[in-house]
Amino acid sequence: MNKCLRTRPRILLSQFQVSPKHREDLNQVVYHSQSQLQRCYAAVQTDPPTPAPHNKTVDVGLAEKPDPKSVDCDYIGPPDAVSNLRPYVRHFGDNETELAKRLRLRRIEVEAWNMDFWTRHNKRFYEEKEDFIRLHKESSARDGSDDDGEISADRLSEFYKAFLDKNWRIHLMFNLSWYLKNFDILTLDAAVQIQNLVSRVRRRRRS
């Protein structure tokens, strides 16, 4: 299964009894799901994709990170090992307007900021979790506990709560910043859409 999109349309078609009337609808769902794989890169493919309907060939993405100027759509990469976020490749062409360029660069800036935040956040989380488990094992060894140093889910929940309580201000400020940055992106995107609409209207009037 391609890890870029966790869909298994083969299960829908082979493990359930589907009437002929609904089978075509399911095939359309399969085709549209697989067509999204074209926008992935560096995804791991461990088994062949299910054939698309109407004898169409479906690509399963690119093997490597593409050049933003050589593709005609945005591409999504595999999840980062620490932040768990998927990086984007934001495409652009020679006819990119200044407003569209501002939008693209703003998106890249916000995505880099988001990636940096969650990389540092998750790294700190796992380091503190390892310290918590290590201290629990040392305490169990000193007390002669018979739990073999294994930590229960209830004990881990204490760490999770303490971590959230300690970092609630950081999470609050992140959420506020995230909303403001995304509002800025939405405003720019709306301006780009209006600009494109005006350009199309002008072209139609000339023709």
Side-chain angles (χ1 to χ4, degrees):
M1 180 181 69
N2 194 305
K3 293 184 179 179
C4 188
L5 291 178
R6 296 178 180 276
T7 57
R8 291 192 68 93
R10 184 181 297 109
I11 294 177
L12 290 175
L13 300 181
S14 64
Q15 295 186 0
F16 292 90
Q17 296 297 323
V18 182
S19 65
K21 178 178 180 299
H22 294 139
R23 184 171 293 275
E24 180 64 23
D25 294 335
L26 285 177
N27 282 334
Q28 290 294 335
V29 172
V30 171
Y31 174 70
H32 288 301
S33 298
Q34 290 179 327
S35 65
Q36 297 300 315
L37 298 178
Q38 297 175 346
R39 298 193 176 189
C40 300
Y41 69 86
V44 179
Q45 181 74 21
T46 56
D47 58 357
T50 304
H54 312 303
N55 297 322
K56 292 184 179 180
T57 301
V58 176
D59 298 327
V60 292
L62 304 178
E64 298 178 354
K65 184 177 180 179
D67 179 3
K69 204 169 182 179
S70 66
V71 293
D72 57 2
C73 65
D74 294 339
Y75 274 75
I76 309 170
D80 182 78
V82 181
S83 70
N84 296 319
L85 298 176
R86 295 182 182 274
Y88 279 79
V89 171
R90 298 291 180 181
H91 79 288
F92 66 98
D94 295 330
N95 59 344
E96 183 183 44
T97 64
E98 282 298 319
L99 192 58
K101 182 178 180 180
R102 282 179 55 195
L103 172 61
R104 176 173 59 84
L105 294 179
R106 183 58 174 158
R107 280 173 168 167
I108 293 174
E109 177 187 350
V110 172
E111 288 160 5
W113 168 82
N114 191 36
M115 179 75 74
D116 177 69
F117 174 85
W118 287 109
T119 297
R120 291 184 288 107
H121 177 278
N122 291 353
K123 183 178 179 182
R124 187 172 67 254
F125 171 82
Y126 288 118
E127 288 176 350
E128 293 184 18
K129 182 180 178 181
E130 289 179 0
D131 289 340
F132 182 85
I133 295 175
R134 177 178 54 81
L135 291 174
H136 172 78
K137 290 182 177 180
E138 292 176 355
S139 176
S140 297
R142 285 196 305 268
D143 298 341
S145 176
D146 57 357
D147 59 2
D148 296 327
E150 293 295 328
I151 187 168
S152 65
D154 289 338
R155 286 286 291 158
L156 274 178
S157 67
E158 296 176 9
F159 163 75
Y160 298 144
K161 182 180 185 304
F163 184 86
L164 291 174
D165 291 343
K166 184 174 64 174
N167 292 278
W168 75 269
R169 289 183 183 275
I170 295 176
H171 296 154
L172 176 63
M173 295 306 299
F174 169 81
N175 285 332
L176 291 175
S177 298
W178 177 251
Y179 293 141
L180 291 174
K181 291 176 187 293
N182 276 273
F183 180 78
D184 187 25
I185 290 176
L186 287 173
T187 303
L188 281 172
D189 185 67
V192 170
Q193 296 301 324
I194 293 174
Q195 184 183 62
N196 294 338
L197 178 61
V198 172
S199 297
R200 286 195 295 270
V201 171
R202 287 176 177 174
R203 287 195 299 269
R204 288 180 180 177
R205 286 181 177 178
R206 293 195 193 102
S207 59

